[in-house]
Amino acid sequence: MAHRRLGDWHAVHRRSRVRIRLRLPPPGRRVMKDQFRLEYDLAFLTSPAAAGRLSGTKDARKVADYLLAELDSLGFDSAFQPVTVPAARLTSTPRLIAGTQAFSPRRDFAELTAFSAGGRVTGQLLVVREDDLLRPEDFNGRVILLPERPQGFNLAETVKTAVEMGVAALLVEHGEPEWFHKTVYTGNGRIPVLRVKKSVAEKLSNMNDANVELELPLQHGTLPCNNVLGFLHGASDDFTLALTAHYDHLGDDPGGVRFLGAFDNASGVVTVLSVARELAKEKMPFNLLVAFLTGEESGLWGAKQLIANPPAPLSAVINLDGIGSESKLNALRLGHRQRGDPLAELGEEILSKHGIQGQWVGGSDDSSAFISKGIPTLGLGQQPTGQARSVMHTPLDTRESLYIETIRDGVEVLVEIVKTVDPKGLRRSLGSQIQLKEKNHVHTK
Ligand SMILES: [Zn+2]
């Protein structure tokens, strides 16, 4: 084994496969060079074995085991942190048949998990347009199709009204995507609610009164999951910087459609793991907490749990969600709507030194949970543009669509940011921020 050619990816990969079967890296044989580790990590997180890492599944558990073993072997004190994650999960393949025509899940229609109940429905189709004059009793027991969404359409209100009128199921036209985006948000839906493709809605709108059979095997429930935590003591114990990335994604659809979540967020996990590998080699002046979080996709549950029960008070957080969608790391989204956070400003400064533009855009990912608690937070991620934009939450978010070099650049920049964090400086600027706020407060009085 001494003359292994590390440049030969296939050799490394073959060896890797053995490790997938073993699940845990064999101790003392960490000979793979870091540049291959990153690709191997990414291959594992997006492999069929990981099956899309839906929180609460055995596949997500496999990934958690892997991440824990990696942190362990780097010398981190590592442990699982239990998190209960509410989410909507498909248990088998949905079916939609109108008359004699069967439609295909995820291509022609998709469940709106935040509004929809699971269930099996048969009923007559009723096509409803904006100016139709219908009596409330016309809706009772029918499967309603809205073939177009009028201006100012409000889905929540529409679903509420449909339930009140005894509608059996609701189908709403929603554009012409190649794949419908998958979500696992849960809600307290009472009837099945689906998005249907515009072309399918057009077809259905000529089928008024047709018999519709709809089966939506959607389960809403809370399952036990884990955050994966690794703690590395620094020279001083009174400042803890957390590096976080969510490892959960949306899982496979029953029946084979696969959501690998390469960009979202296998990319962020492998980046943070690579940064951890770099930083584990040196004595840091402060504590490092690496946290691979679960339950992001259905409501930031892992981040909320970490905030509620941190292994040490969180002094600052750097979260990474989505990197490698573009061929160059020329811009990174900062998880803040505006300036003011000292850590985010430091991050922007270092990014700009590397010619990378920071874009101040809020949004909802794990960084939002930390920001909302007032913890100094740098929420990093790429903002996919063009084609990359439409692959989010679809089966097209694969490893092949990622630019590895961009991820490597991300590792480099992130290592530099962490090494530049000065706990005293951060506290000072936090202090002056608070003073400024107080001053403004007095002034506005
Ligand atoms: Zn996502």
Side-chain angles (χ1 to χ4, degrees):
M1 296 289 274
H3 300 288
R4 187 174 298 111
R5 280 169 49 215
L6 281 163
D8 182 349
W9 163 247
H10 293 290
V12 174
H13 193 64
R14 256 202 310 284
R15 200 155 44 83
S16 304
R17 267 217 230 122
V18 176
R19 294 196 27 188
I20 289 180
R21 245 190 297 134
L22 291 172
R23 301 222 333 228
L24 303 177
R29 291 183 56 195
R30 309 187 52 78
V31 287
M32 205 186 292
K33 277 192 175 166
D34 286 353
Q35 69 186 110
F36 297 111
R37 297 292 328 186
L38 190 147
E39 274 168 84
Y40 176 58
D41 294 336
L42 191 61
F44 177 67
L45 264 84
T46 56
S47 68
R53 314 182 301 278
L54 178 61
S55 49
T57 61
K58 64 175 189 337
D59 316 298
R61 178 67 197 228
K62 253 183 255 169
V63 173
D65 285 344
Y66 175 93
L67 296 171
L68 188 85
E70 285 303 308
L71 290 175
D72 242 5
S73 68
L74 291 171
F76 283 73
D77 279 338
S78 60
F80 287 140
Q81 177 177 52
V83 187
T84 50
V85 176
R89 303 169 174 95
L90 281 174
T91 55
S92 60
T93 308
R95 288 190 317 133
L96 174 65
I97 301 168
T100 56
Q101 172 121 37
F103 296 97
S104 128
R106 206 63 68 200
R107 290 283 198 175
D108 294 334
F109 68 93
E111 67 286 0
L112 268 159
T113 59
F115 298 97
S116 183
R120 194 187 179 135
V121 163
T122 45
Q124 270 185 306
L125 186 66
L126 177 66
V127 182
V128 179
R129 290 200 168 78
E130 202 179 0
D131 303 326
D132 287 348
L133 289 171
L134 292 160
R135 296 163 304 164
E137 54 267 36
D138 295 336
F139 293 88
N140 196 23
R142 302 290 290 264
V143 174
I144 303 298
L145 168 70
L146 305 178
E148 61 233 2
R149 286 166 294 162
Q151 278 243 309
F153 176 75
N154 181 323
L155 184 61
E157 281 303 312
T158 308
V159 173
K160 196 168 155 239
T161 310
V163 169
E164 281 164 10
M165 295 206 289
V167 165
L170 184 64
L171 316 178
V172 183
E173 175 276 320
H174 199 105
E176 195 70 10
E178 185 184 355
W179 291 97
F180 274 115
H181 294 191
K182 184 174 182 176
T183 60
V184 289
Y185 270 100
T186 185
N188 37 21
R190 305 268 300 279
I191 56 171
V193 181
L194 301 181
R195 293 179 288 190
V196 295
K197 233 174 185 170
K198 192 169 185 58
S199 52
V200 170
E202 274 162 19
K203 216 176 273 176
L204 287 170
S205 59
N206 298 318
M207 297 174 75
N208 210 10
D209 289 333
N211 193 54
V212 175
E213 256 185 84
L214 165 61
E215 201 179 333
L216 186 60
L218 189 66
Q219 222 169 55
H220 292 273
T222 298
L223 290 177
C225 304
N226 287 304
N227 285 337
V228 183
L229 308 185
F231 198 85
L232 199 64
H233 283 276
S236 158
D237 239 355
D238 54 8
F239 187 93
T240 301
L241 174 69
L243 287 172
T244 62
H246 77 88
Y247 71 92
D248 66 302
H249 191 57
L250 305 164
D252 279 355
D253 268 351
V257 179
R258 187 146 271 174
F259 292 78
L260 295 170
F263 174 73
D264 180 16
N265 181 31
S267 66
V269 171
V270 303
T271 304
V272 167
L273 195 49
S274 297
V275 170
R277 280 193 190 106
E278 287 301 312
L279 297 175
K281 292 174 191 161
E282 36 201 295
K283 186 76 181 169
M284 296 293 294
F286 45 77
N287 299 330
L288 261 189
L289 169 67
V290 170
F292 297 115
L293 303 172
T294 185
E296 193 269 353
E297 298 290 3
S298 66
L300 321 181
W301 299 104
K304 288 172 190 165
Q305 172 68 318
L306 179 62
I307 291 166
N309 297 292
L314 303 177
S315 315
V317 176
I318 299 176
N319 182 69
L320 192 52
D321 198 346
I323 184 166
S325 58
E326 317 291 317
S327 61
K328 283 221 162 62
L329 191 64
N330 47 18
L332 273 178
R333 143 176 71 81
L334 304 172
H336 276 277
R337 261 178 231 294
Q338 58 214 358
R339 281 161 220 277
D341 183 302
L343 183 60
E345 284 185 358
L346 169 75
E348 187 190 28
E349 208 179 291
I350 291 168
L351 293 180
S352 81
K353 244 179 59 191
H354 286 260
I356 302 164
Q357 203 203 331
Q359 303 173 326
W360 294 83
V361 284
S364 184
D365 66 12
D366 281 332
S367 67
S368 331
F370 300 109
I371 292 166
S372 73
K373 292 294 174 196
I375 301 167
T377 299
L378 173 58
L380 291 176
Q382 268 184 308
Q383 196 79 342
T385 59
Q387 187 69 3
R389 228 180 131 84
S390 57
V391 311
M392 292 286 289
H393 286 213
T394 77
L396 306 175
D397 180 7
T398 62
R399 191 155 41 109
E400 290 69 35
S401 64
L402 289 182
Y403 295 90
I404 298 288
E405 280 315 310
T406 306
I407 299 180
R408 286 196 211 290
D409 289 348
V411 173
E412 209 173 290
V413 174
L414 200 46
V415 167
E416 186 177 338
I417 292 174
V418 173
K419 285 187 178 171
T420 315
V421 168
D422 164 19
K424 284 200 197 97
L426 210 55
R427 275 203 213 94
R428 252 201 312 278
S429 53
L430 262 182
S432 61
Q433 214 191 352
I434 292 161
Q435 272 169 19
L436 198 73
K437 267 192 196 146
E438 279 166 358
K439 243 206 248 149
N440 286 345
H441 194 60
V442 171
H443 185 72
T444 50
K445 265 186 183 171

